[in-house]
Amino acid sequence: MPKFTSFSHRLQIILLIFVVSLISGASFAMRLAAQDVGVPSQEQIRQNNLKMLTHVRTDPGSRPAVLSRLRQQLTMRGLADVDARLKEIGKILDESVTLTDDQFAQRQSQLVDRIVAQVRPGATSLTHASDSLKWIDVHNHVVADRGSFQEAVKAAVALMDKEGIQAMIIMPVPLTEPRYDCSTFAPALRAYSHRIAFLGGGGKLNSLLHRAARQTTISDGLRREFEQEAHAILHEGAAGFGEIAIHHLSLHGADHPYESVPADHPLLLLLSDIAAREDVPIDVHFDVVTKDCPLPDWLSSSNNPKSLASNIDAFERLLDHNLHARICWEHAGSDNTGHWTVSLSRRLLQRHPNLYMSLRLGPGYALQNFPLTPEGRIKPEWLSLFRDFPDRFMIGADEFIASPASQGSGVGAQLARRAPMTRQMTPLFLSALPLELANKFRHDTPVSFFRLKE
């Protein structure tokens, strides 16, 4: 197992990353570059590209020469997919020529940011990045501790409009007691069905599963109850099942439960068969442990056990049980055990064609397994993984979106207040990806995986 610093030190590092991100509102690359003599600031980059854009708009005949110079610059800097980037920039230049002066004045900031996303991956102004990189967020929760789900859903829609989120999938958190499920918030979503889909089972199915966690066989009565609940969830309109907790560490105090069940539990194998038969996916929370080990210091909690047992073999048995069951393993890149490495992801994706991953772009405690460098670039080993499995990744922010009235001290309300810290990472990540991968992650794969209607 990799050597880690103390829990407090690691927490300080994570908080520093997020605080700097919130203060500057810019990418890691531009924050660090500002310290280096001769490296243009973010504003200089934007101004230079605005001059280029205005020049081509004034003299369309200069377009070939401008793109030729850009090709030389991008090639010298070693950027991937130069042809695709130039093609996109050409479209932006052509679009600017067709605009009236008033339209150009209104949209020039958006156009410039779209160019910056191509010529300086990671340097896009996060204030405007969502204008050009709309995406589908496949993992979110709504919180209504002191308000209504109707108000929480309205808050979610407002967030989508502000952040450039084209569509969103909402699901209940994995509960050990069935306090609520998708039927509680589904009525509030119906007015926005063209933009929001939902999963179910985090309340009812997950609680049934964990009540039977120690059972190696299940009764006919429990099997019938579980299957009836699963079909009722789909009848409600759910696009699949989630969030289902296989192994869920307690990270946020005594009110945040520890949940553990063997991944090859009979009820999970049953759910896999139901999902395959109904052609719907399963979204799972699985804190992976590849070998028995003591609980790391940074995971110290009264709810967590003092040691962690290997659970990877059972997870592979679940994946192998029914290859027609599409399973989304959530929170890739946000590793808390130190065991979810790129090499492990590669091995599992090679072996299991029904396995997909949703990326949560907020670092876990195992920072070495986060896909972005401090400079805002994709780490080479991650980029290689993405290129080899371009159709198997999505983005799930795992945000808790609260109604304005939810000002309580519960875990959901606390996480809702922290959500903006990870929210800013997604435009940075998308702009650092090669364009064809960004398009797959932000749109194509979620649409295919969840069978979303355009």
Side-chain angles (χ1 to χ4, degrees), residues 164-212:
I165 299 173
Q166 178 182 355
M168 180 179 284
I169 295 176
I170 288 175
M171 64 191 75
V173 296
L175 300 170
T176 53
E177 296 295 332
R179 297 195 301 273
Y180 78 100
D181 210 305
C182 62
S183 59
T184 309
F185 57 72
L189 297 177
R190 292 201 171 101
Y192 309 99
S193 60
H194 59 297
R195 296 187 68 186
I196 301 179
F198 65 92
L199 306 183
K204 294 180 179 179
L205 296 181
N206 197 72
S207 60
L208 286 172
L209 171 66
H210 284 273
R211 270 185 263 158

Side-chain angles (χ1 to χ4, degrees), residues 90-99 107 110-111 114:
K91 291 179 180 178
I92 298 166
L93 296 176
D94 293 342
E95 181 181 342
S96 71
V97 173
T98 66
L99 300 176
R107 296 179 57 184
Q110 175 191 349
L111 294 170
R114 288 167 59 189

Side-chain angles (χ1 to χ4, degrees), residues 81 84-85 87-88 91 114 117-118 132-136 138 166 386 390-395 426 429-448 454:
D81 307 307
R85 294 180 186 279
K87 182 178 179 181
E88 185 65 22
K91 291 179 180 178
R114 288 167 59 189
Q118 301 304 323
S132 59
L133 295 171
K134 292 185 181 297
W135 55 291
I136 297 173
V138 303
Q166 178 182 355
F386 294 153
D391 301 310
R392 308 281 283 280
F393 288 92
M394 300 165 279
I395 299 174
T426 298
F429 174 76
L430 286 173
S431 63
L433 280 174
L435 183 61
E436 74 278 8
L437 287 179
N439 288 339
K440 285 180 178 292
F441 291 10
R442 70 185 180 89
H443 178 270
D444 298 351
T445 300
V447 169
S448 173
E454 291 287 357

